[in-house]
Amino acid sequence: MRPLPNVTGSVAILDRGDVDTDQIIPKQFLKRIERTGYGEFLFFDWMKDPDFELHRYPGAAILLAGPNFGCGSSREHAAWALEDYGFRVVIAPSFGDIFRTNAVNTGVAPVELPAAQMAQLRERLDERNELTVDLELLEIRHPGGFAISFRLDRHTQETLVHGLDDIARTLRREREIDAYEATYCRRFDIHGLPA
């Protein structure tokens, strides 16, 4: 996972509520075993419409979404597709719980903001479509001088800022693990028999 201390870029606005994971990445694309290559299938059915909102924001790194984004089934592929497409941050009033976890584990920051602050961001984006989402300072900044704070729990912030998956997080404690193993008295052999 790539570290994500901050992201600066243009913002795609998808002002729809209850966007579920089947809309993000339809089920017919879940047969693949790789974690990459899903970006071309992001919002597959909606992308067929030439008036679909995302067509207006090529190269955006930040997605501004509606409430309950990522609801529905627990497919990790939804977060993989967003990341592969180029989104590093999704800002919404709320997220589906499983999607939020999958996003963090993929390296996509799910940032929750109340509706009033979402509206303020949209106003600023009308002036200039650019934001910086600083995950170290927990702040969203607009080049016009506007800034909003947001919250992430400590574990999520550390995971994203340092790019730590579960294995990398465990390896950070390698000395402690080695020290424990050095003092561990094996009670059973590899066959499950008393040692």
Side-chain angles (χ1 to χ4, degrees):
M1 217 165 74
R2 295 180 290 167
L4 187 66
N6 60 67
V7 175
T8 297
S10 62
V11 181
I13 300 172
L14 183 63
D15 194 14
R16 301 181 185 204
D18 302 314
V19 174
D20 68 40
T21 54
D22 192 49
Q23 292 160 327
I24 297 170
I25 183 80
K27 63 186 174 303
Q28 66 264 33
F29 302 111
L30 307 185
K31 299 173 190 169
R32 303 174 55 159
I33 58 171
E34 304 89 3
R35 285 183 63 158
T36 59
Y38 290 96
E40 65 183 296
F41 308 119
L42 181 71
F43 299 116
F44 185 75
D45 294 323
W46 292 349
M47 286 286 197
K48 295 174 187 174
D49 179 354
D51 294 326
F52 177 51
E53 297 96 306
L54 288 195
H55 293 308
R56 288 177 257 169
Y57 307 103
I62 301 164
L63 178 63
L64 207 67
N68 203 24
F69 185 83
C71 58
S73 67
S74 61
R75 60 187 70 164
E76 294 172 291
H77 307 72
W80 298 346
L82 287 161
E83 194 269 341
D84 195 58
Y85 189 81
F87 290 117
R88 298 304 314 274
V89 176
V90 180
I91 304 171
S94 59
F95 293 95
D97 288 338
I98 297 171
F99 172 81
R100 181 188 299 108
T101 299
N102 288 338
V104 171
N105 290 339
T106 300
V108 174
V111 175
E112 279 190 35
L113 287 180
Q117 289 184 325
M118 295 287 291
Q120 289 176 316
L121 278 183
R122 279 192 210 101
E123 287 176 20
R124 300 298 175 161
L125 292 171
D126 286 342
E127 298 167 14
R128 179 173 170 182
N129 188 319
E130 183 182 321
L131 290 176
T132 295
V133 179
D134 190 322
L135 286 112
E136 291 181 301
L137 299 178
L138 299 176
E139 186 176 73
I140 299 170
R141 295 184 298 275
H142 183 267
F146 179 75
I148 296 175
S149 296
F150 63 93
R151 297 174 68 182
L152 287 176
D153 64 82
R154 188 169 158 241
H155 181 269
T156 297
Q157 183 183 21
E158 181 183 55
T159 297
L160 292 167
V161 168
H162 298 291
L164 300 174
D165 60 18
D166 289 340
I167 294 170
R169 187 178 296 284
T170 301
L171 290 175
R172 291 177 96 188
R173 302 185 75 178
E174 193 169 11
R175 281 192 200 155
E176 296 169 57
I177 294 167
D178 289 343
Y180 171 79
E181 287 180 347
T183 62
Y184 177 73
C185 179
R186 182 177 290 169
R187 295 182 0 200
F188 299 96
D189 67 13
I190 61 170
H191 303 290
L193 300 172

